[in-house]
Amino acid sequence: MPIVVDIDVMLARRKMSVGELAERVGITPANLAVLKNGRAKAVRFTTLAALCEVLDCQPGDLLRWETDGAADSLAAVGETA
């Protein structure tokens, strides 16, 4: 999928757990995992805004666009996309 979710990066920078983020944003850890692992089909702007507020970041810090080939080649090398 060409949209890559970088929530893990921001969690590491903020030294925050997935459970803490889910609680502070007001979503279930399961729904956060779906979003975090790139399996979500959509995200509400209210959820995105809450994530940005809690993580003190911009939407572009959490979401980025890549061509399908770029994500596949990074995965083949063993890097996270």
Side-chain angles (χ1 to χ4, degrees):
M1 176 172 217
I3 301 296
V4 179
V5 181
D6 287 327
I7 291 176
D8 281 339
V9 173
M10 293 307 297
L11 283 171
R13 287 182 184 166
R14 302 298 185 252
K15 296 179 178 154
M16 187 181 298
S17 70
V18 173
E20 180 183 353
L21 179 60
E23 183 178 325
R24 291 178 62 184
V25 169
I27 62 176
T28 66
N31 283 341
L32 182 57
V34 168
L35 179 59
K36 184 174 78 72
N37 295 322
R39 295 188 317 257
K41 300 288 183 194
V43 61
R44 292 179 186 268
F45 282 146
T46 54
T47 301
L48 184 58
L51 286 166
C52 289
E53 183 176 349
V54 170
L55 293 170
D56 189 28
C57 66
Q58 294 294 312
D61 295 327
L62 300 176
L63 304 172
R64 62 187 160 89
W65 178 84
E66 283 189 357
T67 61
D68 283 332
D72 293 341
S73 66
L74 285 175
V77 176
E79 298 179 21
T80 57

